[in-house]
Amino acid sequence: MKKETRKEEIIRVAAQLFKQKGYSAVTMRDLAKAMDMQAASLYNHINSKQAILQDIILEIAEAFTEGMNVVISESNSSVEKLNALIALHVRIAINNPEGLAALNTDWMHLEEKLDYYLQLRNDYENNFRAIIVEGIKNDELKPVDVEVILFSMLSTLRSLYLWIPKKDAIKRQQLLEDLTTVLIQGINK
Amino acid sequence: MKKETRKEEIIRVAAQLFKQKGYSAVTMRDLAKAMDMQAASLYNHINSKQAILQDIILEIAEAFTEGMNVVISESNSSVEKLNALIALHVRIAINNPEGLAALNTDWMHLEEKLDYYLQLRNDYENNFRAIIVEGIKNDELKPVDVEVILFSMLSTLRSLYLWIPKKDAIKRQQLLEDLTTVLIQGINK
DNA sequence: GTAACTAACTAACGATTGTTAGTTAATGGA
DNA sequence: TCCATTAACTAACAATCGTTAGTTAGTTAC
């Protein structure tokens, strides 16, 4: 475990504040106060408020892209791929719930990097959709409208960061199992 | 259909802007520009930026509370109640996707009305949870962890406003049916 | 031991924020 | 015709915004 640099500490604390109030409502003076320093001192470590947001969001977006590529190349059946994607979301949500909050609610405040982010997100959704389409063709999944399945799964998986902090470590394995049951098998007996 | 007052028009346009950029990032001058007037002129119709947010969010929060009360008093089985709640969310999301965006992403910027909003939301979630608990006791639902079912359904239902604007009217009945299938029966064959 | 680096500080900048005050033109009912 | 209402305007306010400049004290490398 490498020791956290001052810059990394600032970005981590910024992500916490962004989760609480959103990017626009957090001022550099808020961030400085949380770091117990003057606002101007932040600029010894970071280039701009915008650069902090980019750091937080793009790191996660790229982790999702990488995870999707692994799933596509390694998993076999469609249901196995969906299971692997659920596990991917749970893993990232556990590791970085604050960053995910910024990604989910503040992506539109990206400036230069907005197009790049949207490209990553589009690619991810297209890959996700293709797996569902394949599963229906395979007869592994029910022939429900693809967009409804996609949006339902993504909505739940993208909201995980809101719920996971409430769970302790012991219950997270159980969360993964239960979530898979609910999303794949349904809740009706 | 009563004609829209100037005040209602301002609130409606504000909700659109809040959906695009979030409450904090929208300035009164942005809103004025969208209304084709000066920022100061807005104050002939509304009391404050904060009051606009309150109007938007509390109207919807109270509609959910009312809808929940109807569901509890009218529906019979637990699954029927859940079906009715899905329909409630779809109905509100179709009628007011912009307002739902504000409720979902900007509720924490409520000031005096924050506690009231949180109380409504808590009551709603508790009622939702009780229906699921009842369904498991009844043997209508699988004995999966209640919190996982609750969070999974609420995540999907609360995100509906993001997807519904893409659907045309014809497809919305289909959306309701498919969504019910996915959330209740699952997607696995 | 001194040079370079790290990380903080104070002071201030121009721009933008929500909002108020005071005024004006158009409209509709008595 | 007069009056109240509606709905816009211009001008400006104090506060706050992200950021820059210039400086200083402590730590590390050679």
Side-chain angles (χ1 to χ4, degrees), chain A residues 89-159:
Chain A
H89 279 263
V90 170
R91 196 191 74 220
I92 293 180
I94 287 176
N95 286 341
N96 197 354
E98 291 87 11
L100 270 172
L103 179 136
N104 270 283
T105 68
D106 286 318
W107 59 266
M108 74 286 283
H109 298 121
L110 287 172
E111 293 163 9
E112 298 91 357
K113 299 290 186 179
L114 178 59
D115 288 344
Y116 173 55
Y117 165 76
L118 288 176
Q119 180 209 313
L120 290 184
R121 191 178 71 172
N122 255 323
D123 291 349
Y124 188 85
E125 287 186 6
N126 287 336
N127 283 324
F128 210 127
R129 183 182 292 106
I131 292 171
I132 295 170
V133 168
E134 182 194 57
I136 294 175
K137 247 179 212 157
N138 283 349
D139 234 30
E140 288 185 65
L141 302 180
K142 293 178 186 167
V144 186
D145 181 74
V146 182
E147 298 305 317
V148 174
I149 296 178
L150 177 65
F151 124 70
S152 179
M153 291 195 74
L154 276 180
S155 295
T156 300
L157 296 176
R158 284 178 174 159
S159 304

Side-chain angles (χ1 to χ4, degrees), chain A residues 1-175:
Chain A
M1 183 86 80
K2 218 175 66 186
K3 202 183 145 208
E4 189 181 42
T5 68
R6 201 77 170 124
K7 175 177 178 178
E8 287 165 346
E9 191 183 354
I10 290 172
I11 292 174
R12 178 174 54 79
V13 172
Q16 291 171 4
L17 296 181
F18 291 168
K19 185 183 181 194
Q20 290 169 28
K21 309 202 295 174
Y23 174 76
S24 299
V26 174
T27 70
M28 296 304 278
R29 287 167 179 83
D30 290 337
L31 178 54
K33 196 167 204 172
M35 290 292 300
D36 209 22
M37 58 167 67
Q38 294 299 313
S41 306
L42 294 168
Y43 289 82
N44 285 315
H45 307 277
I46 54 94
N47 290 325
S48 66
K49 188 186 180 191
Q50 172 69 199
I52 296 176
L53 187 68
Q54 288 175 14
D55 261 38
I56 294 170
I57 291 183
L58 294 184
E59 183 191 328
I60 298 180
E62 287 166 356
F64 272 112
T65 297
E66 197 184 313
M68 175 62 85
N69 289 336
V70 171
V71 167
I72 289 176
S73 66
E74 289 188 353
S75 301
N76 302 316
S77 74
S78 304
V79 171
E80 273 172 11
K81 286 177 189 161
L82 292 181
N83 284 339
L85 288 178
I86 293 171
L88 173 67
H89 279 263
V90 170
R91 196 191 74 220
I92 293 180
I94 287 176
N95 286 341
N96 197 354
E98 291 87 11
L100 270 172
L103 179 136
N104 270 283
T105 68
D106 286 318
W107 59 266
M108 74 286 283
H109 298 121
L110 287 172
E111 293 163 9
E112 298 91 357
K113 299 290 186 179
L114 178 59
D115 288 344
Y116 173 55
Y117 165 76
L118 288 176
Q119 180 209 313
L120 290 184
R121 191 178 71 172
N122 255 323
D123 291 349
Y124 188 85
E125 287 186 6
N126 287 336
N127 283 324
F128 210 127
R129 183 182 292 106
I131 292 171
I132 295 170
V133 168
E134 182 194 57
I136 294 175
K137 247 179 212 157
N138 283 349
D139 234 30
E140 288 185 65
L141 302 180
K142 293 178 186 167
V144 186
D145 181 74
V146 182
E147 298 305 317
V148 174
I149 296 178
L150 177 65
F151 124 70
S152 179
M153 291 195 74
L154 276 180
S155 295
T156 300
L157 296 176
R158 284 178 174 159
S159 304
L160 272 171
Y161 72 93
L162 288 171
W163 305 71
I164 279 200
K166 300 179 190 165
K167 298 261 168 194
D168 51 48
I170 305 169
K171 289 184 177 162
R172 282 177 187 162
Q173 178 58 30
Q174 192 61 42
L175 166 68

